[in-house]
Amino acid sequence: MAGILVWFWNERFWLPHNVTWADLKNTDELTFPQAEDLYLACPLAFCIFMIRLVFERFIARPCALGMKIQANGPQKAQPNAILEKVFTAITKHPDEKRLEGLSKQLDWNVQTIQRWFRQRRNQEKPSTLARFCESMWRFTFYLYIFTYGVRFLKKAPWLWNTRECWYNYPYQALTVDLHYYYTLQLSFYLSLLFSQFTDIRRKVVLSCTKTPRIEEGLPPPPAKAPDFLLMFMHHLATIALITFSYVNNMVRVGTLVMCLHDASDVLLEAAKMANYAKCQKLCNLLFVMFALVFMSSRLGIFPVWVLNSTLFESWEIVGPFPSWWLFNLLLLLLQALHTFWSYLIVRIACRAISRGKAGKWNPLHVSKDDRSDIESSSDEDEAAPPPSHKHHSNSSNGTNGAHGTNGYLSGTPCHEDH
């Protein structure tokens, strides 16, 4: 184990030439970032997760109920033992052959069985109230951490001159504000990484016939691009960037990266809350603001201001070393994700506007007739006139098609998806 640690913390990988870990030990006059400082982030991530549960239960939920956001989930599928067994034990997405077999077995038409499976899948999706509480928690944290970052960065010399990030590197003292900012950011993203497996999952649907949208619910079928995986990669890259930049004492440029990202995240979560509360005009305005801030900051300011400093100014002042390459590779990966998400935003806006929906173009819009592009309603499908059941004069179980087999399904109309 000792040999592995020595290899992992090799000075020639982590530090510039002629710099050792001994040179960066804390003294009575100066404090430098230490790798062991980050151990605090793990228990703090657990504390943040517990604070989130309390916040959602006692603050976000009452706010949602005060805005008349309903706690009820999507419409439940009517009980049917045969279909339930297929759903739980075999498949949640039956193919055409299985649908035809079930149709003959139950004496229902295929559309009714498809509708039952859609409703059954929707039962496992969270309610609008749950989504609102999650967004309100993220909005609150992003607003707090962004405000804190702006407050201390406006007094930092490297905000106005990014070359200050590299002068006297790596012998730059760590301030209390920088340590607190880094520890809190790392703890939050660790909590997001772990809670992503229990939070509401989103997936990108790129359809040739419908406006692209990101739906919430179960993991997407293989034909659909998994936004869940992209977010997981984003969290991993963010955690790695925070960790590497702290250990390398690149905290000055690290603060610029984090604060720049928090600016658009605040607006996105605010737009989601407005959407869930059915404040459509406010949602439209907030999403337009989010799109403008996102693309200007992540396609403009980030590459021109931050990447220019990490790639070129640091090369000129400090020179490259192994972990420098890794740090910049992670930043370029982050930029690639920015480009992909910006492409989705533009594509959604162009498709909606081209179809004459300029009044309600934003990807957060949810209504009965125009599904959300980025945040969907609880139901997987939309309402449509229900198809009629098959009618047979004689059936094997002595029941007619309107009532199904063995009384499992009545003739009550169900909602159809489009």
Side-chain angles (χ1 to χ4, degrees):
M1 178 61 71
I4 295 177
L5 290 176
V6 170
W7 170 82
F8 182 79
W9 293 111
N10 190 306
E11 294 167 342
R12 298 286 58 83
F13 172 81
W14 290 97
L15 302 175
H17 186 61
N18 292 330
V19 179
T20 66
W21 293 119
D23 298 332
L24 299 177
K25 289 294 183 183
N26 293 333
T27 65
D28 294 336
E29 294 80 18
L30 295 175
T31 300
F32 298 106
Q34 305 295 316
E36 53 267 25
D37 296 343
L38 300 179
Y39 295 157
L40 178 63
C42 291
L44 189 56
F46 176 76
C47 293
I48 289 177
F49 182 73
M50 298 306 296
I51 292 172
R52 169 188 170 173
L53 296 180
V54 174
F55 178 90
E56 291 184 357
R57 176 67 180 84
F58 296 103
I59 298 178
R61 184 181 176 87
C63 290
L65 294 176
M67 288 186 283
K68 310 299 183 184
I69 296 177
Q70 299 297 320
N72 57 300
Q75 179 182 359
K76 293 185 178 181
Q78 296 186 9
N80 185 296
I82 297 175
L83 296 182
E84 184 68 26
K85 183 177 180 180
V86 173
F87 182 87
T88 56
I90 302 176
T91 179
K92 296 180 181 180
H93 299 271
D95 56 21
E96 184 177 351
K97 183 178 180 181
R98 190 177 298 277
L99 288 172
E100 290 177 356
L102 290 171
S103 175
K104 295 177 181 178
Q105 182 181 1
L106 297 175
D107 197 22
W108 299 353
N109 62 32
V110 172
Q111 288 180 315
T112 302
I113 298 175
Q114 288 177 323
R115 192 162 59 246
W116 187 95
F117 274 93
R118 284 194 292 266
Q119 291 177 343
R120 182 62 182 84
R121 290 193 297 268
N122 288 337
Q123 286 180 210
E124 300 182 7
K125 295 183 179 182
S127 65
T128 303
L129 186 143
R131 295 198 296 264
F132 178 90
C133 291
E134 178 185 324
S135 291
M136 187 172 179
W137 160 250
R138 296 193 184 202
F139 168 79
T140 303
F141 180 85
Y142 287 138
L143 181 61
Y144 166 74
I145 202 67
F146 175 69
T147 304
Y148 182 87
V150 169
R151 183 185 64 82
F152 87 84
L153 275 177
K154 67 181 181 181
K155 299 179 290 185
W158 62 88
L159 177 65
W160 315 107
N161 180 15
T162 53
R163 297 178 70 89
E164 290 286 344
C165 295
W166 310 109
Y167 290 143
N168 197 37
Y169 176 84
Y171 305 106
Q172 298 165 340
L174 180 69
T175 65
V176 175
D177 281 339
L178 280 173
H179 179 261
Y180 174 78
Y181 189 60
Y182 253 78
T183 303
L184 197 57
Q185 287 274 19
L186 179 58
S187 302
F188 178 72
Y189 279 102
L190 281 173
S191 70
L192 285 185
L193 183 67
F194 298 134
S195 65
Q196 187 176 357
F197 295 94
T198 58
D199 282 345
I200 299 163
R201 297 191 182 185
R202 299 170 175 85
K203 59 193 178 211
V204 183
V205 180
L206 300 180
S207 170
C208 297
T209 58
K210 297 181 182 179
T211 304
R213 64 182 184 269
I214 294 178
E215 297 184 304
E216 297 179 322
L218 298 174
K224 300 173 182 177
D227 194 52
F228 173 84
L229 179 59
L230 291 175
M231 285 306 302
F232 189 76
M233 290 172 56
H234 176 271
H235 293 335
L236 284 179
T238 303
I239 291 169
L241 278 168
I242 294 174
T243 303
F244 288 149
S245 62
Y246 188 86
V247 172
N248 285 355
N249 200 13
M250 295 180 180
V251 291
R252 291 187 175 184
V253 70
T255 57
L256 301 180
V257 174
M258 292 187 289
C259 193
L260 192 63
H261 283 68
D262 291 336
S264 58
D265 290 337
V266 172
L267 293 170
L268 177 60
E269 299 303 331
K272 290 180 185 179
M273 290 193 296
N275 174 52
Y276 299 141
K278 298 182 180 179
C279 301
Q280 197 55 52
K281 290 185 178 180
L282 178 60
C283 175
N284 292 347
L285 175 62
L286 288 171
F287 185 81
V288 170
M289 293 172 60
F290 158 74
L292 293 175
V293 172
F294 184 95
M295 286 186 281
S296 62
S297 62
R298 304 196 186 191
L299 296 185
I301 298 175
F302 183 76
V304 173
W305 188 40
V306 176
L307 287 180
N308 176 68
S309 180
T310 61
L311 288 170
F312 303 110
E313 292 178 350
S314 64
W315 182 294
E316 176 187 344
I317 298 172
V318 179
F321 50 98
S323 64
W324 177 93
W325 291 100
L326 180 59
F327 180 70
N328 280 286
L329 180 62
L330 289 170
L331 287 177
L332 290 173
L333 172 61
L334 208 57
Q335 182 59 37
L337 292 174
H338 296 164
T339 305
F340 176 75
W341 284 322
S342 298
Y343 159 75
L344 288 183
I345 293 172
V346 172
R347 183 174 177 178
I348 289 168
C350 290
R351 284 195 176 190
I353 292 174
S354 67
R355 297 183 184 195
K357 297 178 182 179
K360 48 184 179 182
W361 69 276
N362 82 77
L364 298 179
H365 179 71
V366 175
S367 72
K368 269 192 172 183
D369 300 319
D370 185 18
R371 288 300 304 270
S372 168
D373 291 314
I374 284 190
E375 294 293 338
S376 73
S377 65
S378 296
D379 295 336
E380 190 178 76
D381 307 294
E382 292 303 322
S388 59
H389 294 332
K390 292 180 180 177
H391 292 274
H392 300 278
S393 56
N394 295 311
S395 73
S396 59
N397 57 9
T399 59
N400 60 35
H403 294 85
T405 301
N406 298 331
Y408 286 127
L409 181 65
S410 66
T412 306
C414 300
H415 290 289
E416 180 70 77
D417 296 296
H418 68 75

